[in-house]
Amino acid sequence: MAELLECAKAGDMQARVLFIQMEMLQENLSSQSYIWLVDMAENGDFYARNVLYHYLMGHEEISFDWEKMLKWAEEMIAEDPGEAYHMLSGLYAPGMPGFDDVDKCLRYLELGTEAGSNDCAYKLACLAYEFRWDDFPMSRIRAILEKCGLKGAHPAVMKVMVNICVEQNDAEAAVRYSRLWNKEYPDDSESCMFIANFYANGYGVKRDYKIALKYYQKAANLGDEDGMLYVGFMHFVGDGCRVNESRAADYFERALNAGSVNAYSMLAKCYLHGIGVKKNRERALELLEQGVKKENYACCYLLARCYYEGDIVERDLKCSLELLKDARTFCKGCEIEKLGTEIEALDAQCLSELREEEERTLLPSFLEKWNKALAEKDVPTLDNLLTDMVSNYFYHEQLQNCFVDALEQKICSPNLVKKLMNQLRRKADEDSKTALFIARMYDNGRGVRRNLSTAYNYYEKAWRLTADEELALTLYFRLLDGTLKSASSSAFKWLSILLQMYENSPRVNYLRGLMHSLGRVLRRDKSLAEHYFSRAAEAGFVADSKEDLKALRRGQKSYMECLRLK
């Protein structure tokens, strides 16, 4: 190396090229080699220009005259179009040093692909997949990659191909390409994880937990945090191996140290119940709190349960409800299916018990203070109580009545009333019960001037938050008979919603039977009417259709009464 350096310093161009190549292999280009490389590029050496381009792309901290590099790349088109277009595309690539022009980047990649450059084709496919360009559906990206062949392609390209096959639901191809990826790059943990997941889920192959565990273990040995987590989980439940609690806890600890957020909840369970480790509730609580800070939905749920049960922490239903709210926020995709029902069940239980507790303790005290302040016309106290009520206890019907009474009797300061009404309106955007309360205020003219159009808007807002069938039916009939008004909606819109969203509902089917029998709104058709009556009966809606039809014709009953709506 020393002799080669001396020759290079003496001006031997071949020695300089060899010396630069050796330093590039060691990823340690010296300042002297960089000067030589720039000098060779300036003198028209295409090889030096190519090497310099790739070096600069990997060292964004080095400033360079990119206009000059652009000119060099354009001069290379005649001699090596594929490499020239690859360089040009990189100079315009988003997020890279150069000019950041996606359209030009795409154009040069297409030209390079046409010129037979696999590098351009691979880069084009990866960018098109990442940015989901309209001109590049999955089928076109896959065709580009299949034409080039994936042997020797970069792991990122292999991953794109496997993901495309999964999105196209071509399980056999996904498995085939993941195996090729693993064969080409046996030390790539991501390929191991793909194969492991395919075998664990029986996707494109026969489900085999032993083979899945083998690849999870391989990924774990390569330092993959998810691989460690799944090795732990499979020993935790005994999939593909015997249950081994200490090994499970050990791998959960490894996954945690490697950066796995999901390991917090699994390791916390181990310490909480003494699974594979000595029971340590303080450590379990610490892990759950750390997991919550990292927005892990399972930790939120488990910690919420701890606050509900009051075993390792002091019982706090409000804290439990806040954590369950976070759990729903952090839940994604299939995770919602796995834990969603448990979250909702615990949430309902907490809310029920919290309200019972408040009705036993806080509500009597609050009402006593309210009635006393009301009798004494103590406006400052009433204002404070109203503010507290709207912020914390508004879901109690008795307190809602207090609020309406305060508005009707005009016993509170106008500015506060305006502020609290605005607060309730904001709350109604995400809370269906508040939206319903405001709707009824405007519907009945209690505390506010009656406005059927505003009432409708809040009823609709409540429905959008709950998709409640009974509310949808009520809105339909009230728009139909004119007891609600809307400038932007109609009874026909709600009938369409009912027929599409609640087509399997027994009440909606019974309604369709009545309408087809009478020929009102829907065309008269006895056979269809009988069909829908039968469907309603099979689903458990017990009614006498003949009596209801007779009462409807005579005007003795409304549709709402036939459907037993409030």
Side-chain angles (χ1 to χ4, degrees), residues 314-451:
E314 186 178 346
R315 195 167 197 254
D316 188 330
L317 294 176
K318 284 188 176 180
C319 191
S320 183
L321 285 167
E322 282 300 315
L323 285 163
L324 290 171
K325 183 180 178 182
D326 289 339
R328 279 193 294 271
T329 302
F330 303 145
C331 250
K332 297 171 185 174
C334 61
E335 297 167 354
I336 296 173
E337 296 177 17
K338 290 189 288 184
L339 200 55
T341 52
E342 294 179 46
I343 290 173
E344 294 306 321
L346 183 58
D347 185 82
Q349 190 65 30
C350 283
L351 196 55
S352 174
E353 290 186 26
L354 180 64
R355 289 182 179 178
E356 286 176 12
E357 188 178 295
E358 287 177 350
E359 284 173 3
R360 286 194 309 270
T361 56
L362 295 172
L363 194 57
S365 172
F366 189 96
L367 289 171
E368 184 181 343
K369 291 176 185 176
W370 175 264
N371 290 329
K372 182 182 177 185
L374 195 61
E376 296 172 358
K377 296 185 178 179
D378 183 351
V379 174
T381 300
L382 289 170
D383 285 355
N384 290 334
L385 288 171
L386 270 180
T387 303
D388 188 32
M389 178 201 306
V390 170
S391 300
N392 301 304
Y393 311 112
F394 200 68
Y395 42 79
H396 290 290
E397 190 176 342
Q398 286 174 277
L399 299 186
Q400 289 178 354
N401 290 334
C402 290
F403 180 80
V404 173
D405 289 341
L407 296 187
E408 289 185 332
Q409 295 176 35
K410 298 180 179 179
I411 54 177
C412 295
S413 58
N415 287 338
L416 178 68
V417 169
K418 185 178 179 180
K419 177 184 173 183
L420 293 179
M421 280 301 294
N422 287 334
Q423 187 176 333
L424 285 176
R425 289 186 185 103
R426 288 193 298 272
K427 196 173 180 181
D429 289 335
E430 55 187 38
D431 180 60
S432 61
K433 291 183 179 177
T434 303
L436 275 174
F437 170 75
I438 297 175
R440 287 168 184 151
M441 282 178 66
Y442 282 105
D443 196 356
N444 301 314
R446 288 209 61 200
V448 291
R449 184 180 296 175
R450 193 173 190 222
N451 188 319

Side-chain angles (χ1 to χ4, degrees), residues 14 38 70 114 129 157 160 189 199 399 418 444 470 507 519 534 546:
Q14 190 173 358
V38 172
L70 183 66
E114 290 168 9
Y129 180 79
V157 179
V160 165
S189 65
Y199 275 102
L399 299 186
K418 185 178 179 180
N444 301 314
E470 186 167 326
R507 275 197 291 199
S534 297
K546 290 182 180 178

